[in-house]
Amino acid sequence: MDEGVKKKILVVDDDEAIISLLVRTFQVKGYEVIGLKTGAEARAFIQDEAKVGELALFILDRLLPDVQGLQILKEFQAKYQKKVPVLLLSSLASEKDVLAGLQEGAVDYVTKPFSIPVLIQKAMSLIGKNHG
Amino acid sequence: MGSLRTLFILITFLSLEILILIYLFLMVFLHNFFAYFKDRYSVNKRKWLESKIMESIQNPQNIPYLSGTYDLLVSLENFSRKVQGEEFDVVKKHVISQSLLSKAYRYVDSPFWKKRNFAARVFSLFPRKEEEPLMLKLMDDKKFLVKSVVGIALVKIKSREGVKKLIDLMSRSTGYAYYFYKDILLQGELDMYDILLEEGMHSEDEKIFKAILSIFANKTIIKPIPFLEKTLQSRDHLLIKEGLNALVRNPQQGSARVFMTFKTHPDEEIRAVAAKGLALYPTDEAKNTLKEMIQDSRWKVRFQSALSLKYTGEVEFLKRLKPEDNQAVFDTAQYVLEFV
């Protein structure tokens, strides 16, 4: 990562506690976290190419109150074609659910309850691979 | 005079009724009034507790004292559904030991089931071997919402007595409770199933056998199941079916021969499971047996046989089947080829 360039992570999750947790977690690593709670907010955000251009990672919850996370993922990949790695976060843990997420273009799938160090490691690896 | 007296009694009764109604209305109003503020307080308190728990995860050397009984328990449970790992375990252990454990110990013997449920939930959140005797006591509770919760804790600590009690409860339950206990037992770690194997070896209770086999029918344990042979010699068709299902999931030496033995059993359910088991053995003998079984008069057996033939690579055989030879067999094969 270049010195002075502060990268951002977008987190879309309807659970405020998860957003707060991820904000604190990634702040320690020098990342700014943008937290959104609904699919509508996520849709509005991903329309802005300039904002998406600043993202190092997109963490997306599958179960949002207004729209399916997979639908948001589909729209995001259609517009940005894997320029930003997407990590799906979900309590849906069956093989079928994980496959569905990966088939839609998510680079990784983390099930809840998740381990914070594991999530950080996965996130850093994805960000590092994307820069590489 | 008489009518005046009657009127007086009537008015008195009416007044009493109105007073009672006013009293009831007042009680309902006050209850709702206080409940509203109590709920709001609870929601705010839980948000505050969750933020403190989160701060503690980031800074485990400095965990503040967190008071509260039910709200603290619910906050910890909510967090457990979201986060796991060593850091959270440290915080959980600290908070439970400091704020909840002593209450849980007291509540084990409470006459109120909600307090016993509280105790079960505390033990379940951070189960320890030290609390095993108390957990086993709660397993004997008459309330489902107490024993089911503590059952989860006993499986986590691989309690021998706990697992035995759970399988016993499962064998005597029906409906929702049966599946709940089954799900708890299916969450155990691999070495926990040694307890079930041992129980199966020594129990004479057929219901316990069925319950244990039902677990092994849904869990691969990669170990021999010594009592399967005895099970398959039973006259109870349901027991044989459970035994065969367990064998499909946990194939033993000589399983193929066992499945072939049941190809002509009078019970179609058993024949169907036997056909399912043969999918694991892509040998000529097994395939020939399946080619016989696909001619069965019952749909279930034909379907399973066709599916097993497909899985063992006999797609061409299925495609060559002709309606003029046997319409039912042909239809089954087509169904499997097209829709499964």
Side-chain angles (χ1 to χ4, degrees):
Chain A
M1 199 172 85
D2 292 339
E3 287 292 311
V5 175
K6 200 174 181 190
K7 280 289 194 171
K8 297 181 182 178
I9 295 175
L10 175 64
V11 174
V12 179
D13 196 313
D14 60 329
D15 190 334
E16 221 173 286
I18 295 277
I19 293 178
S20 302
L21 183 66
L22 294 180
V23 164
R24 287 170 200 261
T25 301
F26 288 111
Q27 250 172 15
V28 168
K29 296 285 174 187
Y31 287 86
E32 183 188 328
V33 174
I34 302 160
L36 301 173
K37 288 170 71 177
T38 64
E41 288 173 356
R43 268 190 175 135
F45 186 96
I46 63 180
Q47 291 313 310
D48 190 333
E49 290 182 18
K51 284 184 183 172
V52 171
E54 292 176 322
L55 293 179
L57 181 66
F58 182 3
I59 298 176
L60 174 63
D61 183 16
R62 269 192 73 166
L63 297 171
L64 295 169
D66 52 347
V67 70
Q68 285 286 325
L70 284 187
Q71 185 55 36
I72 301 288
L73 174 60
K74 213 173 184 173
E75 291 168 18
F76 185 82
Q77 298 296 30
K79 199 170 164 80
Y80 298 105
Q81 284 138 7
K82 301 189 180 184
K83 283 183 186 152
V84 179
V86 181
L87 190 149
L88 273 177
L89 194 62
S90 179
S91 50
L92 299 172
S94 74
E95 186 183 293
K96 189 178 100 177
D97 294 312
V98 174
L99 266 172
L102 296 173
Q103 279 163 357
E104 287 297 347
V107 185
D108 208 340
Y109 195 110
V110 174
T111 53
K112 293 178 189 172
F114 60 87
S115 159
I116 298 166
V118 168
L119 181 69
I120 295 173
Q121 189 56 49
K122 287 193 175 201
M124 294 301 116
S125 297
L126 288 175
I127 292 169
K129 271 187 198 161
N130 207 40
H131 280 145
Chain B
M1 202 59 183
S3 60
L4 270 172
R5 199 173 152 192
T6 310
L7 192 63
F8 174 75
I9 292 167
L10 198 64
I11 289 169
T12 311
F13 271 119
L14 274 172
S15 309
L16 271 172
E17 268 190 40
I18 289 166
L19 278 171
I20 288 168
L21 277 170
I22 292 171
Y23 170 77
L24 283 172
F25 177 77
L26 199 63
M27 288 296 111
V28 167
F29 174 77
L30 284 172
H31 171 81
N32 287 337
F33 180 80
F34 286 117
Y36 171 74
F37 285 105
K38 189 180 166 197
D39 285 346
R40 275 188 66 176
Y41 170 78
S42 265
V43 165
N44 290 337
K45 175 132 194 212
R46 281 178 211 174
K47 276 187 179 162
W48 181 84
L49 285 167
E50 284 189 18
S51 70
K52 289 294 162 196
I53 292 167
M54 222 165 2
E55 281 171 22
S56 303
I57 293 172
Q58 306 289 309
N59 189 12
Q61 288 82 34
N62 195 19
I63 305 169
Y65 174 74
L66 298 174
S67 69
T69 311
Y70 188 71
D71 289 323
L72 181 56
L73 175 65
V74 170
S75 300
L76 281 171
E77 284 175 336
N78 284 342
F79 240 86
S80 289
R81 282 188 272 276
K82 297 167 199 177
V83 169
Q84 63 178 1
E86 224 174 275
E87 288 150 341
F88 179 53
D89 280 350
V90 165
V91 173
K92 212 172 24 166
K93 184 181 169 184
H94 183 97
V95 170
I96 288 173
S97 306
Q98 212 177 47
S99 310
L100 297 174
L101 210 54
S102 56
K103 286 192 183 87
Y105 285 155
R106 285 204 309 275
Y107 290 172
V108 168
D109 291 315
S110 171
F112 304 107
W113 76 265
K114 283 190 178 177
K115 288 195 172 178
R116 298 196 305 273
N117 169 266
F118 175 90
R121 285 160 73 179
V122 170
F123 296 144
S124 181
L125 211 46
F126 202 77
R128 304 186 306 170
K129 266 291 185 188
E130 295 94 306
E131 275 101 44
E132 190 178 351
L134 294 173
M135 291 193 247
L136 288 170
K137 194 172 180 178
L138 288 172
M139 272 298 285
D140 292 329
D141 201 284
K142 55 182 186 268
K143 281 283 185 187
F144 174 75
L145 283 174
V146 175
K147 54 189 172 193
S148 57
V149 172
V150 84
I152 298 169
L154 287 164
V155 163
K156 282 182 189 170
I157 61 167
K158 298 175 212 172
S159 160
R160 182 167 287 273
E161 275 311 304
V163 169
K164 284 181 184 178
K165 281 182 190 279
L166 269 168
I167 201 78
D168 182 57
L169 278 169
M170 183 184 154
S171 70
R172 290 186 283 113
S173 301
T174 55
Y176 175 82
Y178 171 86
Y179 291 103
F180 193 93
Y181 294 129
K182 185 172 174 178
D183 281 345
I184 295 175
L185 285 163
L186 285 171
Q187 284 166 34
E189 287 176 24
L190 220 53
D191 50 355
M192 189 204 82
Y193 297 101
D194 291 336
I195 303 168
L196 290 180
L197 280 171
E198 201 188 294
E199 190 66 8
M201 286 293 290
H202 298 114
S203 178
E204 293 297 325
D205 187 336
E206 264 195 10
K207 283 188 175 175
I208 300 249
F209 263 137
K210 278 182 195 159
I212 294 174
L213 288 169
S214 176
I215 299 289
F216 292 149
N218 288 275
K219 192 88 182 179
T220 308
I221 60 166
I222 323 169
K223 285 177 192 196
I225 306 174
F227 52 86
L228 259 179
E229 199 181 318
K230 182 171 85 173
T231 315
L232 297 172
Q233 288 164 3
S234 165
R235 288 186 183 186
D236 183 339
H237 288 189
L238 200 54
L239 193 58
I240 296 173
K241 186 182 158 194
E242 293 289 8
L244 284 176
N245 275 321
L247 203 57
V248 171
R249 190 72 190 231
N250 295 279
Q252 317 277 294
Q253 204 170 14
S255 292
R257 180 112 334 264
V258 170
F259 291 129
M260 285 184 226
T261 311
F262 285 97
K263 68 179 180 184
T264 53
H265 194 277
D267 190 327
E268 67 177 271
E269 301 270 342
I270 290 173
R271 296 199 304 277
V273 178
K276 185 178 175 184
L278 285 171
L280 301 166
Y281 306 95
T283 61
D284 288 340
E285 200 183 355
K287 288 180 192 179
N288 288 336
T289 306
L290 286 167
K291 286 172 186 172
E292 282 175 44
M293 291 178 84
I294 202 176
Q295 307 290 334
D296 199 286
S297 61
R298 307 301 291 175
W299 157 263
K300 214 172 217 176
V301 185
R302 288 198 305 274
F303 171 76
Q304 204 53 71
S305 305
L307 199 58
S308 296
L309 280 165
K310 187 177 177 184
Y311 289 157
T312 51
E314 291 292 322
V315 173
E316 286 310 311
F317 169 79
L318 291 171
K319 283 181 179 171
R320 282 199 308 267
L321 290 168
K322 295 186 182 114
E324 47 268 26
D325 293 336
N326 189 322
Q327 185 69 47
V329 173
F330 172 78
D331 288 344
T332 312
Q334 289 303 302
Y335 179 86
V336 166
L337 286 169
E338 275 184 63
F339 298 112
V340 183

